[in-house]
Each structure stands twice: as C-alpha cells, then as structure tokens.
Amino acid sequence: MINLKSIQHYLLLILFGVSLSLGHVAQPQAAEVGRTLVAADLKQQPFIDAATVTNLPVNTELEVLKRQGGWMQVKSGAGEGWLKMTAVKLGTAAASQEKSGNGLSTLVNLATTGRSGSSGVTVTTGVRGLGQEDLKNAQPNPEAVKKMESFAAARNETAAFASSAKLQSQTVEYLSAPAATSASTGVGSAGNFGRGN
Amino acid sequence: MLQRTVLALALMLGVTAAHAFGLDLEKLTNIISKTQDLKPVETQSEVDIGKGVAANLLGAAPLVKDEKLQAYVNRLGWWLVQHTERTDLVWHFGVLDTDSLNAFAAPGGYVFITRGLLLNMRNEAELAGVLAHEIAHVLQRHHLAAIQKNAQTGIIADLASMAVESSQYGAVADKAISASTELYARGLDKSDEYEADRMGVVIAARAGYDPYGLLAVLQTLDGMNSQDAGLALMFKTHPTPQSRLQLLDTVMSSKLDQLNQQKQVADRFVKVVGTYAGK
C-alpha cells in the first residue's frame, strides 16, 4: 500500500532530479528577479556614457542576468541592457512581504543549480537563530576559541590561494567620507531613493 | 576650570561605580583621567579582550564543523589582511553555525560570519567584501573605542594601563569583555559601520576582487523581508542596507570605476560552499 509519505518522497526526488538536470543543461542563467527602484536609463554597456537602449520607468520588472562592478545586466520587457546596481531592488514585491517560515532560501543553491532559491532545493534544515538574547545569555566557550585559533595555518597559504584564482594585488587608497551630509545623519534611510540616473 | 568641574562630576558619578566594582578612589581618579584621553590600548590587552569576546560569541553560536570550509574562509581572510595596516596581529576567522544572517569582529583580529549569510552569497568577492568590512572594525579598533568612550555603561576599565597592572588585569579585562559583548547586541555607531563599509570595499579591491561584492550582499539583504527573524539582530545593529548602498555608491562611483573588471571568483566559492551546503 502506498502511503502519503512515500508519494511525497517520490515527488521530492523528481523535483530534485529536475532541478539538477536543469542546472546542468542551462548555463547558470540566473533566475534572480527584481525591479527598478527609480526610473533609470538602460545602457548598452556597463558604462555611464554608453548608449542608452531605453529608459525604464520605476517598478519595471526585470531579470538579473549578470553583474559586473557596480552594474547589472538585466532583461526586461523593453529589452536587455545594463543598469547601475543601485537602481535595482532585488526580489518580487510579493516576496519581500512574505514571511518565510522556515529559514531563508539560499543563493548558494541558486548558484549550484541555476535555479532561483524559492523553487530550488533548499539546504536550510531549520532555524537556529542568533539573537540579542542568545548573546546576552551566552556562556563563554574557550574551547571553541582554541579550535578557531587552530585554523591560523592558513596565513602561510595566501600566495597559493591568490594565484589559483589569479587574484592580483592592487594599490588603492582608502575612500574618505562624503563631504556635505555626514553619515551619522542617516542619509538615504529607507524610502529615500533620491539618486536616479 | 571647566575641566576640573568635569573631573569632579566624573568623580562623583564614579564613586558609585567604584563602590560597585570595589576599586579605590585613587585608582579611579587615575582611571578616569586616562580614559578621558582615550589612550591607545596595548595590543596584548586588545587580543585578550578579543579572545574573551570570541569565547562569548562562540558560546552563543558554535563553529560550523567543516574544516575545509573554515580553512577556506581563513585563507581568504589572511589574503585580505595582507592588504591592510595590521599584519602584525594573528587573525582568526570562523563560520558560525547559525541560520541568522550576520558577521562580527572582535578586538585583536577575531572575525566571524554566520552560515546563514555565507549561504546567501554568490561568489568570493561578496565574501571578501563582508570579511573586509569586519577586518576594518578591527583595524580601526571600533569596539575598543566604543567601550572606552561609553562611560555610562560603568566601564571604567583603564584599558591603557591593563598591561602593567597585573593585579587588576583579570577583573578589568572581564568587564571590558562583557561590555564589548553587549555591544554586539546594541551595535556600534552608524558612522563606524559606514567607515567599515568604505574601508572594506577598498581592502577587497586591493586583494584583486570586484569591490562591489559588499554592495551585492547589501542588495541581497535589501531584497529580503526585513521582518524575517534571521535578519533581526543585524537590522537592529546596522544602518539599513539601502542607506549603506547609497553612501557607498556616492563615494565609490568616481574612484573605483576603473576596477570594474576585477574578479568575482564564483567557481571556487560555489565549489567549497556548495560542497558544504550539500552535505
């Protein structure tokens, strides 16, 4: 006799298989979605002075294809092109209101399967949170510190680590704080999206 | 004249504190005058405080039991550190086994990231951005400065003299550790967070990464439901992701545009973190 649980298992296996095979066939075509936060020029190239494909009004739904520096390659109903990343809000309007009951879906999942977190295989097994109360009530764990200190051998492996990913050191000066409005006044708090393109 | 009044007032307030902590008045005077100067803390004291804070954080959330993952994060952390002004510290990086999204730094070079945040990243440049932000808190001694400045917490710890006065060392260190741990529940000044953001993107850029990795993480956080329990502590203790993004964009756009082509390193990140996640 087939019980409900085994059917569920079977369905899960199918879903898992489908998502994995999709991930294989389709190149990791990001299925991340978002919308424009402000009206913004869609550019042909990721440069501020590149030709404009079209102007996207605020709240235009789009799919994120790729990121490069401060730019995002997106696909919208009006065409493909590049937007400044700060002109984009990720997620759907509905998703950002949704209360996810058992942990946030993960992007690693997206990267490994090429599917969006909400429909892919969720690796989160349950919520083990770290909140204010946990910090206040914590009993010190010096053994864990010793364990953490045992990882320090990594300091001798930085050259190999960098070269295997072809990372090259650059000379870059630290950035100074923006002059006029001091950071502590909370410039650009939520809802203040004054900077368009 | 004014200084004297301030000192007298501080002493009056201090008496209560001194009583509570069982310190004598002469020592207290000494402590207050030194704390007002915000003298630099000895590196050894800083490391001792950091070790205590790390023990508390690890008491709240354990380390992920995955040596490969921890080694990976430590290699990346050390590579970033090579591009900073505090290569003398012995840095330690750890992934905390909690689904909450957060990252922490403790004085002396202890840096933590939660598995919840790690699993919501796309590539190594994003991880580099977050670790570099935390490294910047240590470089700037933000937590130490906050507990030194924050007189009303009763922290009269004379951090500057800790190294020389061994009899009081343990007690003073304990108070500094508990005050510092409390900071993780309350948060640093917004200006400290913004500064760590500005420094973090530069450190990541120096190490060869796409400097916009940190912004990509902030954007991910911005797209999530702010009511989610996993975001509660971070959202309470940091400025909104949107305000951090806007401020970073303002200072970066002209200065770091030429680094637009730097590496994101998605393959190695997905291999290591994906292997861990798939277990």
Side-chain angles (χ1 to χ4, degrees):
Chain A
M1 187 152 157
I2 303 164
N3 65 23
L4 195 60
K5 201 142 198 180
S6 68
I7 294 175
Q8 274 178 338
H9 269 141
Y10 190 58
L11 282 175
L12 266 174
L13 276 173
I14 293 174
L15 282 173
F16 194 79
V18 168
S19 90
L20 282 181
S21 59
L22 273 178
H24 265 286
V25 180
Q27 295 303 322
Q29 288 205 358
E32 276 189 273
V33 294
R35 61 200 149 87
T36 50
L37 202 51
V38 289
D41 284 340
L42 189 66
K43 299 286 187 178
Q44 274 182 2
Q45 304 286 330
F47 309 112
I48 203 77
D49 46 4
T52 300
V53 179
T54 183
N55 183 275
L56 299 179
V58 64
N59 271 329
T60 303
E61 291 189 3
L62 44 85
E63 192 178 310
V64 181
L65 304 175
K66 196 178 165 187
R67 289 168 166 79
Q68 185 181 313
W71 294 82
M72 268 181 169
Q73 190 181 28
V74 302
K75 187 163 92 180
S76 76
E80 276 186 31
W82 294 84
L83 287 174
K84 284 288 296 273
M85 70 182 288
T86 45
V88 176
K89 179 152 180 106
L90 290 179
T92 59
S96 65
Q97 300 301 316
E98 240 169 54
K99 183 118 180 166
S100 55
N102 56 353
L104 299 155
S105 54
T106 61
L107 281 169
V108 165
N109 172 39
L110 165 74
T112 48
T113 64
R115 303 195 67 202
S116 78
S118 55
S119 54
V121 183
T122 302
V123 296
T124 311
T125 49
V127 176
R128 218 167 351 173
L130 176 58
Q132 251 181 317
E133 291 307 306
D134 303 303
L135 285 173
K136 282 178 186 160
N137 300 329
Q139 293 301 309
N141 184 351
E143 284 307 307
V145 179
K146 279 191 193 139
K147 179 74 189 166
M148 186 170 166
E149 287 171 345
S150 74
F151 305 142
R155 69 188 302 180
N156 303 317
E157 295 156 16
T158 54
F161 179 85
S163 70
S164 75
K166 298 189 172 65
L167 290 164
Q168 287 185 334
S169 296
Q170 307 287 329
T171 305
V172 188
E173 293 294 309
Y174 281 128
L175 301 164
S176 43
T181 38
S182 106
S184 56
T185 56
V187 176
S189 56
N192 176 13
F193 308 129
R195 288 174 48 84
N197 284 324
Chain B
M1 177 73 179
L2 181 64
Q3 241 177 356
R4 267 192 191 182
T5 320
V6 171
L7 188 63
L9 190 65
L11 273 172
M12 278 167 58
L13 292 169
V15 170
T16 334
H19 186 69
F21 292 126
L23 296 174
D24 66 47
L25 199 64
E26 192 185 345
K27 174 138 185 83
L28 188 68
T29 315
N30 190 18
I31 283 167
I32 287 172
S33 61
K34 282 191 183 166
T35 307
Q36 280 178 333
D37 296 342
L38 293 182
K39 284 198 179 157
V41 178
E42 299 273 344
T43 301
Q44 188 52 50
S45 312
E46 183 184 352
V47 171
D48 287 345
I49 293 168
K51 196 181 283 241
V53 173
N56 283 352
L57 286 172
L58 288 166
L63 288 170
V64 163
K65 288 190 179 64
D66 186 315
E67 302 270 335
K68 281 187 180 154
L69 182 72
Q70 300 287 4
Y72 170 68
V73 172
N74 275 272
R75 286 185 194 117
L76 171 52
W78 272 101
W79 170 242
L80 292 167
V81 163
Q82 304 310 305
H83 301 86
T84 73
E85 54 276 27
R86 296 194 78 183
T87 48
D88 56 312
L89 289 175
V90 182
W91 294 76
H92 304 287
F93 300 85
V95 183
L96 297 177
D97 196 0
T98 167
D99 292 330
S100 293
L101 284 75
N102 220 329
F104 307 92
Y110 294 85
V111 173
F112 301 89
I113 181 167
T114 67
R115 80 174 221 121
L117 185 53
L118 191 64
L119 292 178
N120 276 289
M121 293 176 170
R122 301 168 191 82
N123 55 52
E124 208 166 285
E126 295 189 9
L127 176 55
V130 170
L131 292 180
H133 168 102
E134 299 305 327
I135 287 169
H137 281 313
V138 177
L139 297 175
Q140 296 302 90
R141 299 174 179 83
H142 282 152
H143 292 92
L144 282 181
I147 58 174
Q148 273 184 301
K149 257 188 279 181
N150 211 340
Q152 87 269 19
T153 59
I155 286 309
I156 49 171
D158 185 3
L159 297 169
S161 70
M162 275 176 61
V164 287
E165 295 178 54
S166 54
S167 62
Q168 294 288 334
Y169 190 88
V172 170
D174 283 351
K175 292 194 183 76
I177 289 162
S178 82
S180 194
T181 304
E182 200 183 294
L183 267 179
Y184 297 89
R186 206 177 58 230
L188 292 163
D189 283 352
K190 278 185 180 182
S191 56
D192 287 349
E193 295 299 343
Y194 292 130
E195 183 179 45
D197 280 348
R198 288 195 305 275
M199 292 176 72
V201 296
V202 169
I203 293 165
R206 288 175 181 171
Y209 292 105
D210 178 348
Y212 285 84
L214 177 61
L215 286 84
V217 174
L218 291 172
Q219 192 171 32
T220 302
L221 298 174
D222 181 57
M224 291 176 170
N225 177 14
S226 59
Q227 299 306 306
D228 197 290
L231 294 169
L233 183 62
M234 186 176 38
F235 277 20
K236 183 181 185 304
T237 54
H238 288 77
T240 63
Q242 193 54 240
S243 64
R244 295 170 69 184
L245 276 169
Q246 298 295 334
L247 274 175
L248 275 175
D249 187 48
T250 308
V251 294
M252 286 170 79
S253 49
S254 56
K255 298 269 173 61
L256 297 182
D257 268 359
Q258 72 279 15
L259 301 173
N260 242 354
Q261 305 286 335
Q262 294 213 113
K263 301 224 178 314
Q264 294 178 337
V265 195
D267 40 1
R268 177 163 65 185
F269 177 87
V270 168
K271 191 166 170 246
V272 177
V273 181
T275 303
Y276 157 67
K279 277 182 185 172

